[in-house]
Every structure is written in C-alpha cells, then in structure tokens.
Amino acid sequence: MIGPSSDPAELIAHLETLRSEENAAGMARFGIVTDRALGISNPDIRAVARLAKRNHLRAMQLWRSDIREARLLALYTAEPKRLTPEEAKNWAHDFDSWEIVDSAADLFVEAGLDELIPEFAADEREFVRRAAFAMIAGAAVHRKGETDTPILSWLPLIEAHSGDPRNFVRKAVNWALRSVGKRNRACHGPALGLAKLLAESPNKTARWIGRDAARELSGEKLLARLQ
C-alpha cells in the first residue's frame, strides 16, 4: 500500500499498475506528449498524490524519472514553501507539454515565485514562455484576497507578447488577459481596455487575442457578476 513513506520507485511501480495504452492514445489527440506517458488520468494521479502526501525531496526525484505521470505526481506533492526559484527554473528546462506547464504554473504561483514571470516571458522557448502567462492566469484567479497591483502590473507583459503566434503561447496570453479581466471590477476595466486595443492591432495574433478576450469581458453575465 502506498503512503507518505513510499519512495519514488514504489510510487512509479504503483503508477505502472494503472497504465492504460488506450488512454495514452487519447491524450495524444489533445496535444499531450505521450512518448513517456502511462496513460493515467489526472484525477487518478491526484488520488495517488493524496495518499503519498507532500515530500519535497521525493518530488525532485520523481521529476527526474522523465515519466509524464511521475512528473505530475512530483508537481502535486512538492512543498510550495520549500520550492526555490532555481528548482523551478530547472524544471522549466524540461517543459515539453502544455499540461505539465499549467500544473507547474499552479505550483509556482502557490510558491510565490512571481519574479520568474518576466524571466519566463522573455524566454524564447514556447513552453517556458507559456509558463509565464499560465502563472499570471493562475495568480489572477487564486489570489482573491491579495492586492490587485501585481496583477495589473503584468498587463504590459501581456501586450508585449501578444504577437507571438505559437499556439501554446497565444492561447496562454489570451487566457491571462481574460483571467485578469474577470478577477474583479478594478481589474476589468484595464484588461478590457487592453483587449480592445489589441483587437485593432495590425498583428493577426494580437488581434485574435484582443477580439476573443474583449468578447468574453463584455459578456452580460460577467458584467452582472462584477457589479
């Protein structure tokens, strides 16, 4: 039986028993890298994480396995308060899938590693840059009780990279802009203003991001909620 005392090898052996080749094939259709995947669903990986509990050193070891499910388990069981910027950057070097990036972004936000956002955004690698905007989106949604100042300070970063046409970047930039705008009334106006500005851009990607975000941020249900 797996539990808090389980070592990386035991956890990976347990994951192997949950392998599903059929699920792995299905994941590939959603753009998930499956070269080193066992085909285990996220709810099932989270169930393993709940049994294993958090253990930072073990999470570092799980990550080095290069197995999709083990890396997700590492992200779910790492200790945010112990995660250092250097460790986060080392993990970012291995990013090769939007799914891993978005889960890592949640952890990085929980760990308070906001200083990595501009550094990741400046990185030319597609998945590292995506991490910056996934972090912005996550912070906008999850830090409800905190000041809006840092959230709004990332709008220029969103504007600066709104022309990146790569699929996993442009979708994350769009996601970040919409998340900022939906946060509350104070954030809505500046985000909608940027969306409308981008909607008129001569750049095709920026124009798509702006129009899509403006459409959602102008929706009646959202405006009613923000009143």
Side-chain angles (χ1 to χ4, degrees), residues 80-202:
K81 291 182 179 179
R82 293 185 60 187
L83 185 68
T84 68
E86 199 58 42
E87 287 169 341
K89 286 191 281 189
N90 285 339
W91 280 0
H93 287 310
D94 296 328
F95 286 166
D96 63 356
S97 171
W98 65 266
E99 177 195 36
I100 295 290
V101 169
D102 295 357
S103 295
D106 285 341
L107 174 64
F108 297 170
V109 167
E110 191 176 355
L113 301 180
D114 294 4
E115 70 268 27
L116 296 180
I117 291 176
E119 183 174 341
F120 285 168
D123 197 298
E124 289 296 331
R125 289 172 291 180
E126 182 174 9
F127 288 109
V128 178
R129 181 167 290 172
R130 179 185 175 90
F133 297 99
M135 287 178 71
I136 292 173
V141 171
H142 298 301
R143 294 182 178 171
K144 299 185 186 302
E146 297 183 22
T147 176
D148 296 325
T149 302
I151 304 294
L152 290 171
S153 74
W154 293 322
L155 287 176
L157 207 58
I158 291 173
E159 181 178 7
H161 293 285
S162 62
D164 191 323
R166 293 174 294 179
N167 188 48
F168 293 112
V169 176
R170 70 185 183 97
K171 287 186 175 180
V173 173
N174 173 266
W175 176 25
L177 180 55
R178 290 185 290 107
S179 296
V180 172
K182 293 188 290 184
R183 177 177 168 84
N184 55 36
R185 289 182 64 185
C187 291
H188 179 263
L192 179 57
L194 176 56
K196 289 180 176 179
L197 178 68
L198 295 178
E200 300 300 322
S201 171

Side-chain angles (χ1 to χ4, degrees), residues 5 9 18 22 55 65 73 75-76 82 85 118 123 133 145 151 154 160 165 171 178 181 183 191 193 205 221 224 226:
S5 62
L18 304 176
E22 183 180 356
N55 181 315
S65 73
L73 187 58
L75 295 170
Y76 299 156
R82 293 185 60 187
D123 197 298
F133 297 99
I151 304 294
W154 293 322
K171 287 186 175 180
R178 290 185 290 107
R183 177 177 168 84
T205 301
K221 288 185 178 179
L226 295 177

Side-chain angles (χ1 to χ4, degrees), residues 24-103:
M27 290 172 181
R29 291 195 292 271
F30 290 94
I32 294 172
V33 176
T34 58
D35 293 349
R36 293 278 289 163
L38 304 177
I40 306 171
S41 71
N42 266 280
D44 286 345
I45 300 171
R46 288 190 179 277
V48 175
R50 285 193 293 272
L51 293 172
K53 307 297 183 186
R54 292 191 183 272
N55 181 315
H56 199 65
L57 176 59
R58 187 184 62 199
M60 296 294 139
Q61 296 168 331
L62 284 168
W63 182 270
R64 289 196 288 272
S65 73
D66 194 31
I67 299 169
R68 167 193 172 265
E69 286 76 5
R71 284 188 165 175
L72 286 171
L73 187 58
L75 295 170
Y76 299 156
T77 59
E79 298 173 56
K81 291 182 179 179
R82 293 185 60 187
L83 185 68
T84 68
E86 199 58 42
E87 287 169 341
K89 286 191 281 189
N90 285 339
W91 280 0
H93 287 310
D94 296 328
F95 286 166
D96 63 356
S97 171
W98 65 266
E99 177 195 36
I100 295 290
V101 169
D102 295 357
S103 295

